[in-house]
Amino acid sequence: MPNYQASVLVSLRASVLDPAGEATRSAAKGLGIQGIKRLRIGKSISLELDAPNEAEALRRVELLADRLLANPVIEDWSLDLKPAPSSL
Amino acid sequence: MSIGVVVFPGSNCDRDVRWATEGCLGLPTKFLWHETRDLSGLDAIVLPGGFSYGDYLRCGAIARFAPVLQSLVDFVDRGGNVLGICNGFQILTELGLLPGALTRNKGLHFVCDDVELKVISSRSNWFCNCTSGEVLSLPIAHGEGCYQCNVETLKRLEDEDSIALRYLNNPNGSISDIAGITNAKGNVLGLMPHPERACDPLTGGLDGKKILQSLIN
């Protein structure tokens, strides 16, 4: 069975406060790095899965992202899926 | 009349709730392990504070899939009273029984303090022992209590009279100073403050009794 690897990026919606991102932006100034206008913190989730084909792999990871990895009330997600190097 | 207190791996206020309901109020109370599906004979269920399943991913995100919570959804549909305190409130939003989400405190710090709260909603039975507009003093202890929702949801909460309590001095950045809300039907209440820690004069006031007494109304 083909093996796939996926990366899901979860980010806070633009309208949601991100105090940790603001604190990090402020710390960047302390490091002397100028010009950072916006800094938002999210999560990156890497996973590998077995699925019969790419469309089915995509369906499963989309379901996972939408129902568990992200809370759609406050977060958006995007994903990248490709065959795992070992299965090529 | 019997109350169930759900125990998740990582709950840490379960025994405090039982002490308050059984020890201070004399209400028969039993613990419900997160793997049980049997809620028979119970009149009200409390989801206590703590860090269920380590709060991995998001607060309450993993707890949402516990077997006991699948039965809880049916319990709510049948009109049973459910109170979620702190982590319990976070779980109720993840589960979709209450709208919105609880996020990191605006000031980033974990806040442990006594706060003053105004009773807003008089629609549900939860505050039948309080007068509308009464000010209660209850402890809070959380790092992720900033209630957020979109403007449509906020308007709906206001129109439905579902905002239960508001902070007099907002400690965490919650929208509209919200400290607790109910569902549309009124049988589910989520609170960031801890009423169970204010049921014994030795440990911090008695205002919590007014809320916990209403579990069995």
Side-chain angles (χ1 to χ4, degrees):
Chain A
M1 184 179 280
N3 189 271
Y4 296 90
Q5 63 185 31
S7 171
V8 181
L9 197 62
V10 177
S11 52
L12 281 172
R13 289 191 166 193
S15 58
V16 174
L17 287 174
D18 180 14
E22 274 306 302
T24 307
R25 193 170 73 95
S26 164
K29 272 190 220 160
L31 187 63
I33 299 174
Q34 305 298 319
I36 299 178
K37 299 284 183 217
R38 192 167 169 274
L39 193 160
R40 308 275 288 173
I41 293 179
K43 293 186 194 99
S44 168
I45 298 110
S46 310
L47 58 118
E48 291 185 359
L49 76 160
D50 292 328
N53 55 56
E54 188 159 337
E56 174 59 16
L58 189 64
R59 190 194 69 81
R60 291 181 193 175
V61 180
E62 283 177 347
L63 183 67
L64 179 75
D66 200 51
R67 297 287 301 280
L68 177 59
L69 300 181
N71 178 348
V73 175
I74 48 169
E75 295 169 324
D76 290 322
W77 56 266
S78 61
L79 76 84
D80 181 49
L81 180 94
K82 58 186 177 188
S86 58
S87 68
L88 290 174
Chain B
M1 286 296 179
S2 191
I3 293 169
V5 180
V6 176
V7 182
F8 298 101
S11 294
N12 64 14
C13 299
D14 41 343
R15 283 162 179 77
D16 293 10
V17 171
R18 187 168 181 173
W19 161 246
T21 54
E22 199 163 61
C24 301
L25 292 168
L27 308 171
T29 303
K30 71 173 192 176
F31 290 131
L32 301 167
W33 186 234
H34 64 119
E35 289 177 330
T36 188
R37 291 177 190 274
D38 180 14
L39 304 180
S40 57
L42 295 169
D43 300 285
I45 292 169
V46 181
L47 304 183
F51 300 86
S52 55
Y53 302 91
D55 274 350
Y56 297 142
L57 197 60
R58 292 177 307 277
C59 302
I62 312 287
R64 183 180 121 211
F65 296 96
V68 71
L69 293 189
Q70 309 314 308
S71 303
L72 186 90
V73 172
D74 297 333
F75 183 82
V76 168
D77 282 345
R78 292 196 304 271
N81 283 342
V82 172
L83 169 61
I85 302 167
C86 200
N87 191 227
F89 184 9
Q90 294 163 342
I91 293 168
L92 290 171
T93 60
E94 282 283 339
L95 196 57
L97 287 176
L98 291 174
L102 282 314
T103 61
R104 183 79 74 92
N105 291 350
K106 193 174 179 184
L108 287 171
H109 293 287
F110 188 97
V111 182
C112 184
D113 206 355
D114 288 332
V115 295
E116 293 198 311
L117 301 144
K118 193 170 186 178
V119 177
I120 305 299
S121 173
S122 50
R123 175 176 60 94
S124 63
N125 278 331
W126 294 105
F127 300 97
C128 60
N129 301 309
C130 307
T131 53
S132 185
E134 184 174 346
V135 173
L136 305 175
S137 177
L138 295 174
I140 55 166
H142 59 248
E144 287 171 303
C146 176
Y147 182 78
Q148 299 199 52
C149 65
N150 59 30
V151 288
E152 294 80 20
T153 304
L154 181 62
K155 182 169 187 322
R156 182 162 57 80
L157 288 171
E158 286 170 344
D159 291 349
E160 286 173 357
D161 189 22
S162 288
I163 297 173
L165 295 175
R166 280 197 170 110
Y167 301 107
L168 291 192
N169 294 300
N170 193 334
N172 55 28
S174 287
I175 189 167
S176 193
D177 302 326
I178 287 174
I181 56 171
T182 63
N183 62 347
K185 201 166 161 185
N187 59 326
V188 178
L189 172 65
L191 294 177
M192 284 316 293
H194 288 267
E196 79 281 12
R197 297 187 193 175
C199 289
D200 183 326
L202 286 175
T203 56
L206 291 169
D207 283 352
K209 271 186 168 181
K210 295 181 180 179
I211 297 172
L212 293 183
Q213 262 165 350
S214 63
L215 277 167
I216 53 152
N217 281 324

